[in-house]
Amino acid sequence: MFGEAGRIGLVVPANNGVLEPELWSVLPEGVALYATRILAKGELTPRAVHAMEENVDRAVDELAATGVDAIVYADMVTTFIMEPGWNETRTGEIAARTGCPCISAWTALRDALAHLGIARFALGTPYPAAIHALAPPFFAGRGFSLTDDATLDIRQMADVPRVDAGRLRDLVAGLDRTAAEAVVLLATDLPTFASLESLRAMTGLPVLSSNQTILWSALRTVGNDATIESLGPLSRG
């Protein structure tokens, strides 16, 4: 039987060609991923995000029909565009609709930061500047301190999965990490898995990415405690 060690369902924005390959590359034996896509294309704007959200219930029903053990709403930018508390409300609605637990990109990051005791970090994103500007006050409102923040200011959704390791390294290198406890990189369509270890070595800090924290949280949700070295500071427990 496929997924005898856990069956994870992913709701993935359609422009995202990164999340599934990254998770599959380190997935523990016996864990299966099942993804359903929601239409997302063009420029990353609040209007585009709201339009994408209209497809979520259909995607959730399809995953529930597959018989998954947990559902991941794998989009981070909704966190900053929707109203306060939206993540917690939406994941609760999905859990009630399907009868299985639901996490999101934000709840995964939130729980990972709490697990590691991190309250102060440097932040990097690929978002358009206007959307990136929503992130610092969001984190400040939840008790986090940013030592610095920067964005690649990418407007076309299809361009984020094309960010290479050099560009990602330059983004992190340019962040003021004085007194930071970690570096946090947002967006589930931003390729990070191939760079996490080298970025950790460069900065001397834990480096957390959206996809890394999603995998950690999803495995915990389905009751799988496998050790995955590539998860860095989250690799054990």
Side-chain angles (χ1 to χ4, degrees), residues 175-192:
L175 291 169
D176 181 355
R177 303 182 299 277
T178 305
E181 299 167 329
V183 174
V184 172
L185 300 172
L186 300 185
T188 61
D189 52 350
L190 181 67
T192 60

Side-chain angles (χ1 to χ4, degrees), residues 117-139:
I118 292 169
R120 187 171 57 254
F121 55 86
L123 177 71
T125 84
Y127 301 141
I131 290 178
H132 174 86
L134 302 174
F138 172 89
F139 286 111

